[in-house]
Amino acid sequence: MNTRSALNREATLSKLGNETFDLAIIGGGITGAGIALDAASRGMKVALVEQKDFANGTSSKSTKLIHGGLRYLKNLEIGLVREVGHERAVVHQIAPHMVIPQKMLLPFYKKGTFGPMATSIALWVYDRLAKVHDRDRRKMLSRQQTLDKEPLLKQDGLKGSGYYAEYRADDARLTIENIKSAVDHGAICLNYVSAEKFLYGANEKISGMICRDVLADETFELKATFVVNATGPWTDKLRKKDDGSAHDKLFLSKGVHIVIAKEKLPLRQAVYFDVPDGRMIFAIPHHRATYIGTTDTKYTGDIEHVKVTREDALYLLDATNNMFPGLDLKTEDIESSWAGLRPLIYKGGKSAGELSRKDEIFISKHDLITITGGKLTGYRKMAQDVVDLVARRFEHDHQKTFREVKTKDIVLNGGPFNEQLKLEDYKKTLTERLKAAGLEGHWPDYMLENYGRQSDAILEKIPYYDRNTPEEALIRGEVWFAVIHELAQTPVDFFGHRTGRLFYDLPGIETVKNVALEDFETYFDWEEEELKNAALELDRAIQSMTDFGEKDL
């Protein structure tokens, strides 16, 4: 049975309710997905449930960088910089089509946060801690060299810049590919399943949970030897379901990003710049747009509905207009936006910007294992730490052993590309095929970074849709792939977490959404009312990306 197909949901639910698992994971973000892959690849019998769609929370709303942690040098988090630098190299190796080298410009100004000496030293330390390859190590550029790289930069007071290496990656796609790889290794992973209540054995240790199929509103028992809480911002809420007296561990920090069309913000170069309040902000070209972020503010509102407020949007626009003064960007220039929550470990007396991004593991008196904190970049190592702990417990408590970790060598779906040249050769072939199908411009990058070699299966579908426009034919191939191979249940799943179009190409959805809705209707055999509800849900999601409120809920 293809348990990656959304059409096999009933059979997958049956497996969840009728088998006993070594490990059950609650939370389908990048951390939970990484744990599922690690555990399944070691031979554990694994189940993962997610109350909404995979990557619905923080794991689709980061700055979308697999980076070495330059900003953490300011807080002297040397060990964290070293660790995430190492992990960055690993993730690039296992998914080079998704984790894309991104050169970053760090300009410095008179009376700015960084001067040439401080920038040079910081980047030198960063290169060595993060073990940056010689060809990508930092360069110090003069004023004129800096303007050659990015002519839109503010010229008044510009002294020069540092030029260094980062990696860009779509966080949701990375999550989806980890989920798919976990399933390929035997894990049972399902979205729209919520953990309602924990089950306990005779020794008062957790033995599973009562789950609810959100789509059918039916409950079932999921039995497991160990349970991991990997729910990010929902961590404390779930911990209190296990232990009502548990103290909150998290400090939630809101990060906001806005998206501007390249015609309005035609950056040649990704830029990392400081703003007057001391924060650092990224402006990163991405296919047909440029995205800007992030903020870092304490959040105490509704974690189910995290919004970009007008104040958030204006803060980022003001910072961008200050650094690129010839643009005069306004709120109506914002095509899309997103707001996510960082689940930071609470430390009294520290602001959001001062709190460590390091992860921690907590174990309750009933054996609920919680992993929280951490970075997108470090997800694989976080997963390894959790599964190492579970493996030790199995060996000690149950005299059962599993294979050693091997996720450093598991190539994610869409590969392999053993060297950069092969990646570039495939992109050339992809470009030719897309051009023949009437798709030019940003489409080769879009397909490569979303699907890698899986693009072949999608493009093979295009001739069957010869009555559609090229964009409609592509979207129909993508919908087929998302439903049959990526557990997409709704059009919002598809446009948000499978293709990223809600984030990067919101205007383009309008021309293809009806075709996508029609295919979802066909695959799931929807009644008229179900199709209407799906269309309304998609319209609400589209509107929410630019519907700025006055304050947090």
Side-chain angles (χ1 to χ4, degrees):
M1 183 186 73
N2 176 15
T3 53
R4 278 214 251 145
S5 173
L7 303 184
N8 290 332
R9 182 177 181 84
E10 188 173 333
T12 304
L13 283 164
S14 179
K15 280 180 169 290
L16 288 175
N18 290 297
E19 299 181 11
T20 300
F21 296 89
D22 295 318
L23 180 64
I25 302 152
I26 306 171
I30 188 62
T31 304
I35 294 168
L37 173 55
D38 189 310
S41 67
R42 298 198 207 190
M44 292 185 190
K45 192 171 184 179
V46 177
L48 180 147
V49 296
E50 162 58 48
Q51 65 176 343
K52 295 182 180 178
D53 187 29
F54 305 118
N56 179 74
T58 302
S59 295
S60 60
K61 299 178 179 69
S62 72
T63 305
K64 303 177 189 295
L65 289 175
I66 303 294
H67 65 88
L70 175 61
R71 69 174 66 177
Y72 310 128
L73 284 179
K74 289 179 68 176
N75 293 343
L76 299 178
E77 295 184 86
I78 304 299
L80 182 58
V81 175
R82 182 184 292 110
E83 181 174 296
V84 296
H86 175 265
E87 284 302 306
R88 179 177 70 170
V90 172
V91 179
H92 175 62
Q93 180 179 335
I94 62 177
H97 61 290
M98 283 193 291
V99 182
I100 310 300
Q102 178 79 69
K103 288 288 190 171
M104 198 73 64
L105 197 66
L106 177 60
F108 46 82
Y109 290 82
K110 292 177 182 177
K111 298 182 181 179
T113 302
F114 292 95
M117 183 64 72
T119 302
S120 180
I121 292 172
L123 291 176
W124 183 89
V125 172
Y126 173 78
D127 280 348
R128 278 143 188 83
L129 288 175
K131 296 184 178 179
V132 174
H133 194 280
D134 287 347
R135 67 173 179 270
D136 287 329
R137 288 192 172 179
R138 69 96 168 89
K139 296 177 182 177
M140 301 305 296
L141 305 182
S142 68
R143 170 189 166 86
Q144 189 55 52
Q145 288 172 320
T146 301
L147 290 172
D148 289 343
K149 291 285 185 187
E150 186 44 72
L152 291 176
L153 280 170
K154 178 174 65 176
Q155 297 188 28
D156 186 27
L158 178 64
K159 300 175 71 175
S161 65
Y163 191 57
Y164 70 103
E166 293 285 20
Y167 290 90
R168 175 173 51 80
D170 187 296
D171 44 7
R173 281 305 309 180
L174 191 61
T175 302
I176 295 299
E177 296 301 358
N178 270 273
I179 290 286
K180 289 160 61 180
S181 292
V183 172
D184 292 345
H185 281 81
I188 304 297
C189 302
L190 201 56
N191 45 2
Y192 298 101
V193 176
S194 65
E196 299 287 299
K197 183 180 179 181
F198 289 110
L199 299 170
Y200 298 89
N203 57 0
E204 297 189 354
K205 301 298 183 183
I206 289 177
S207 60
M209 57 257 196
I210 296 174
C211 293
R212 180 170 66 91
D213 173 8
V214 174
L215 300 183
D217 195 23
E218 296 176 352
T219 60
F220 62 92
E221 290 188 1
L222 193 163
K223 298 174 183 176
T225 305
F226 292 101
V227 175
V228 169
N229 170 11
T231 56
W234 289 264
T235 290
D236 285 333
K237 186 176 179 181
L238 192 66
R239 289 175 60 244
K240 288 176 181 178
K241 284 188 177 183
D242 169 49
D243 180 0
S245 64
H247 296 295
D248 288 346
K249 294 286 189 180
L250 296 188
F251 179 107
L252 298 180
S253 168
K254 186 173 80 165
V256 168
H257 297 78
I258 57 175
V259 180
I260 310 287
K262 272 194 179 176
E263 290 77 13
K264 296 282 187 178
L265 182 52
L267 292 188
R268 297 182 186 176
Q269 171 69 57
V271 182
Y272 186 35
F273 60 96
D274 61 334
V275 295
D277 67 3
R279 275 204 57 72
M280 298 291 294
I281 287 178
F282 293 99
I284 302 174
H286 182 275
H287 301 169
R288 53 162 301 283
T290 298
Y291 68 95
I292 303 155
T294 177
T295 59
D296 196 357
T297 54
K298 181 179 180 180
Y299 186 80
T300 56
D302 181 1
I303 62 175
E304 302 290 344
H305 301 94
V306 187
K307 297 283 291 179
V308 178
T309 66
R310 184 165 298 278
E311 181 182 358
D312 295 327
L314 290 174
Y315 172 86
L316 292 176
L317 283 176
D318 289 346
T320 305
N321 285 328
N322 180 64
M323 184 52 60
F324 309 103
L327 299 175
D328 191 28
L329 296 171
K330 298 178 173 60
T331 51
E332 52 264 36
D333 295 320
I334 299 174
E335 283 193 348
S336 184
S337 65
W338 66 87
L341 298 177
R342 305 177 190 89
L344 309 179
I345 310 299
Y346 178 75
K347 302 290 182 185
K350 290 192 175 184
S351 68
E354 295 172 320
L355 289 174
S356 174
R357 268 52 176 174
K358 187 162 179 55
D359 58 282
E360 291 188 32
I361 296 174
F362 309 103
I363 304 176
S364 78
K365 61 185 178 182
H366 301 126
D367 263 6
L368 176 64
I369 301 167
T370 294
I371 174 76
T372 194
K375 296 284 304 168
L376 171 65
T377 309
Y379 83 87
R380 192 205 64 85
K381 183 60 167 58
M382 291 168 63
Q384 179 180 327
D385 291 344
V386 170
V387 182
D388 281 347
L389 185 154
V390 172
R392 289 194 298 269
R393 289 292 302 273
F394 264 110
E395 187 171 4
H396 182 271
D397 299 346
H398 303 279
Q399 291 73 55
K400 188 175 182 180
T401 59
F402 296 96
R403 295 188 290 269
E404 293 296 314
V405 63
K406 60 177 184 178
T407 49
K408 282 185 180 181
D409 303 314
I410 296 177
V411 175
L412 297 181
N413 288 284
F417 295 100
N418 296 326
E419 55 188 51
Q420 187 66 24
L421 184 61
K422 291 185 178 180
L423 184 65
E424 291 169 1
D425 286 344
Y426 181 74
K427 183 177 177 180
K428 289 177 183 176
T429 302
L430 193 57
T431 301
E432 291 169 1
R433 293 183 67 185
L434 286 163
K435 184 177 181 179
L439 295 161
E440 298 185 72
H442 72 281
W443 293 112
D445 288 319
Y446 166 86
M447 293 297 293
L448 181 65
E449 293 177 26
N450 273 341
Y451 304 109
R453 295 187 188 278
Q454 298 169 115
S455 300
D456 294 340
I458 295 170
L459 295 182
E460 285 170 5
K461 288 283 182 179
I462 285 182
Y464 296 100
Y465 309 129
D466 57 354
R467 294 185 180 181
N468 297 106
T469 67
E471 288 82 3
E472 289 173 340
L474 178 63
I475 212 78
R476 295 191 68 186
E478 288 185 276
V479 168
W480 163 79
F481 191 75
V483 170
I484 303 302
H485 297 284
E486 298 188 334
L487 287 162
Q489 290 285 342
T490 74
V492 174
D493 297 349
F494 172 72
F495 284 113
H497 310 127
R498 303 305 183 283
T499 69
R501 292 178 188 230
L502 269 177
F503 298 93
Y504 303 121
D505 190 13
L506 198 67
I509 293 178
E510 191 62 36
T511 61
V512 295
K513 71 175 185 180
N514 288 336
V515 172
L517 283 162
E518 288 169 8
D519 279 5
F520 268 94
E521 177 188 22
T522 299
Y523 285 124
F524 290 100
D525 195 23
W526 283 341
E527 300 291 338
E528 183 177 348
E529 189 68 18
E530 292 173 300
L531 175 61
K532 181 181 177 180
N533 289 337
L536 286 172
E537 181 189 34
L538 178 58
D539 286 342
R540 284 194 295 267
I542 291 171
Q543 183 180 2
S544 72
M545 304 302 274
T546 53
D547 185 15
F548 308 129
E550 292 303 320
K551 60 182 180 179
D552 288 325
L553 299 176

mmCIF file of all heavy atoms in Angstrom, residues 48-64:
data_model
loop_
_atom_site.group_PDB
_atom_site.id
_atom_site.type_symbol
_atom_site.label_atom_id
_atom_site.label_comp_id
_atom_site.label_asym_id
_atom_site.label_seq_id
_atom_site.Cartn_x
_atom_site.Cartn_y
_atom_site.Cartn_z
ATOM 1 N N LEU A 48 3.777 8.861 13.311
ATOM 2 C CA LEU A 48 3.799 10.316 13.509
ATOM 3 C C LEU A 48 2.437 10.870 13.172
ATOM 4 O O LEU A 48 1.863 10.550 12.127
ATOM 5 C CB LEU A 48 4.866 10.974 12.628
ATOM 6 C CG LEU A 48 4.990 12.505 12.733
ATOM 7 C CD1 LEU A 48 6.441 12.952 12.526
ATOM 8 C CD2 LEU A 48 4.081 13.231 11.742
ATOM 9 N N VAL A 49 1.910 11.718 14.061
ATOM 10 C CA VAL A 49 0.632 12.377 13.807
ATOM 11 C C VAL A 49 0.801 13.883 13.928
ATOM 12 O O VAL A 49 1.576 14.383 14.741
ATOM 13 C CB VAL A 49 -0.474 11.886 14.765
ATOM 14 C CG1 VAL A 49 -0.767 10.405 14.535
ATOM 15 C CG2 VAL A 49 -0.096 12.127 16.229
ATOM 16 N N GLU A 50 0.063 14.599 13.102
ATOM 17 C CA GLU A 50 0.097 16.064 13.071
ATOM 18 C C GLU A 50 -1.343 16.570 13.034
ATOM 19 O O GLU A 50 -2.142 16.128 12.207
ATOM 20 C CB GLU A 50 0.875 16.546 11.844
ATOM 21 C CG GLU A 50 0.650 17.974 11.425
ATOM 22 C CD GLU A 50 0.965 18.988 12.518
ATOM 23 O OE1 GLU A 50 2.045 18.889 13.136
ATOM 24 O OE2 GLU A 50 0.119 19.877 12.741
ATOM 25 N N GLN A 51 -1.680 17.514 13.923
ATOM 26 C CA GLN A 51 -3.073 17.950 14.053
ATOM 27 C C GLN A 51 -3.575 18.753 12.854
ATOM 28 O O GLN A 51 -4.778 18.806 12.590
ATOM 29 C CB GLN A 51 -3.249 18.781 15.321
ATOM 30 C CG GLN A 51 -2.491 20.097 15.324
ATOM 31 C CD GLN A 51 -2.762 20.941 16.558
ATOM 32 O OE1 GLN A 51 -3.745 20.707 17.263
ATOM 33 N NE2 GLN A 51 -1.897 21.912 16.825
ATOM 34 N N LYS A 52 -2.669 19.381 12.111
ATOM 35 C CA LYS A 52 -3.053 20.104 10.893
ATOM 36 C C LYS A 52 -2.281 19.489 9.730
ATOM 37 O O LYS A 52 -2.219 18.289 9.611
ATOM 38 C CB LYS A 52 -2.791 21.594 11.058
ATOM 39 C CG LYS A 52 -3.683 22.214 12.138
ATOM 40 C CD LYS A 52 -3.461 23.707 12.275
ATOM 41 C CE LYS A 52 -4.372 24.280 13.355
ATOM 42 N NZ LYS A 52 -4.156 25.739 13.555
ATOM 43 N N ASP A 53 -1.701 20.308 8.868
ATOM 44 C CA ASP A 53 -0.872 19.752 7.804
ATOM 45 C C ASP A 53 0.577 19.749 8.254
ATOM 46 O O ASP A 53 0.983 20.525 9.135
ATOM 47 C CB ASP A 53 -1.027 20.576 6.520
ATOM 48 C CG ASP A 53 -0.304 19.943 5.334
ATOM 49 O OD1 ASP A 53 -0.170 18.699 5.317
ATOM 50 O OD2 ASP A 53 0.128 20.679 4.435
ATOM 51 N N PHE A 54 1.390 18.904 7.651
ATOM 52 C CA PHE A 54 2.819 18.902 7.927
ATOM 53 C C PHE A 54 3.383 20.303 7.637
ATOM 54 O O PHE A 54 2.989 20.972 6.674
ATOM 55 C CB PHE A 54 3.541 17.878 7.054
ATOM 56 C CG PHE A 54 2.996 16.486 7.167
ATOM 57 C CD1 PHE A 54 2.441 15.846 6.071
ATOM 58 C CD2 PHE A 54 3.018 15.808 8.375
ATOM 59 C CE1 PHE A 54 1.920 14.568 6.172
ATOM 60 C CE2 PHE A 54 2.511 14.523 8.497
ATOM 61 C CZ PHE A 54 1.951 13.896 7.387
ATOM 62 N N ALA A 55 4.296 20.747 8.483
ATOM 63 C CA ALA A 55 4.965 22.042 8.317
ATOM 64 C C ALA A 55 4.000 23.213 8.435
ATOM 65 O O ALA A 55 4.294 24.310 7.970
ATOM 66 C CB ALA A 55 5.728 22.111 6.994
ATOM 67 N N ASN A 56 2.851 23.007 9.068
ATOM 68 C CA ASN A 56 1.858 24.068 9.152
ATOM 69 C C ASN A 56 2.289 25.215 10.053
ATOM 70 O O ASN A 56 1.897 26.364 9.836
ATOM 71 C CB ASN A 56 0.534 23.496 9.668
ATOM 72 C CG ASN A 56 -0.543 24.559 9.802
ATOM 73 O OD1 ASN A 56 -1.091 25.020 8.817
ATOM 74 N ND2 ASN A 56 -0.825 24.983 11.033
ATOM 75 N N GLY A 57 3.096 24.921 11.084
ATOM 76 C CA GLY A 57 3.472 25.950 12.053
ATOM 77 C C GLY A 57 4.790 26.613 11.723
ATOM 78 O O GLY A 57 5.016 27.109 10.620
ATOM 79 N N THR A 58 5.697 26.585 12.687
ATOM 80 C CA THR A 58 6.992 27.250 12.541
ATOM 81 C C THR A 58 7.758 26.755 11.319
ATOM 82 O O THR A 58 8.493 27.519 10.683
ATOM 83 C CB THR A 58 7.839 27.023 13.816
ATOM 84 O OG1 THR A 58 7.114 27.541 14.945
ATOM 85 C CG2 THR A 58 9.174 27.719 13.725
ATOM 86 N N SER A 59 7.582 25.497 10.956
ATOM 87 C CA SER A 59 8.393 24.893 9.898
ATOM 88 C C SER A 59 8.008 25.289 8.488
ATOM 89 O O SER A 59 8.542 24.736 7.525
ATOM 90 C CB SER A 59 8.375 23.361 10.043
ATOM 91 O OG SER A 59 8.999 22.987 11.243
ATOM 92 N N SER A 60 7.088 26.236 8.336
ATOM 93 C CA SER A 60 6.892 26.856 7.025
ATOM 94 C C SER A 60 7.029 28.366 7.124
ATOM 95 O O SER A 60 6.782 29.076 6.154
ATOM 96 C CB SER A 60 5.510 26.505 6.450
ATOM 97 O OG SER A 60 4.477 26.959 7.307
ATOM 98 N N LYS A 61 7.465 28.863 8.279
ATOM 99 C CA LYS A 61 7.426 30.306 8.504
ATOM 100 C C LYS A 61 8.732 30.855 9.076
ATOM 101 O O LYS A 61 8.744 31.847 9.797
ATOM 102 C CB LYS A 61 6.245 30.639 9.418
ATOM 103 C CG LYS A 61 4.899 30.231 8.805
ATOM 104 C CD LYS A 61 3.734 30.520 9.711
ATOM 105 C CE LYS A 61 2.419 30.126 9.039
ATOM 106 N NZ LYS A 61 2.276 28.664 8.906
ATOM 107 N N SER A 62 9.826 30.183 8.755
ATOM 108 C CA SER A 62 11.141 30.670 9.178
ATOM 109 C C SER A 62 11.698 31.626 8.136
ATOM 110 O O SER A 62 11.009 31.984 7.174
ATOM 111 C CB SER A 62 12.096 29.490 9.369
ATOM 112 O OG SER A 62 12.445 28.940 8.100
ATOM 113 N N THR A 63 12.960 32.018 8.288
ATOM 114 C CA THR A 63 13.622 32.841 7.269
ATOM 115 C C THR A 63 14.100 31.977 6.111
ATOM 116 O O THR A 63 14.644 32.474 5.130
ATOM 117 C CB THR A 63 14.803 33.621 7.900
ATOM 118 O OG1 THR A 63 14.300 34.382 9.008
ATOM 119 C CG2 THR A 63 15.442 34.588 6.929
ATOM 120 N N LYS A 64 13.895 30.696 6.197
ATOM 121 C CA LYS A 64 14.162 29.759 5.103
ATOM 122 C C LYS A 64 15.637 29.760 4.717
ATOM 123 O O LYS A 64 15.993 29.745 3.537
ATOM 124 C CB LYS A 64 13.240 30.061 3.909
ATOM 125 C CG LYS A 64 11.758 30.008 4.317
ATOM 126 C CD LYS A 64 10.823 30.368 3.206
ATOM 127 C CE LYS A 64 9.389 30.506 3.703
ATOM 128 N NZ LYS A 64 8.771 29.286 4.209
#
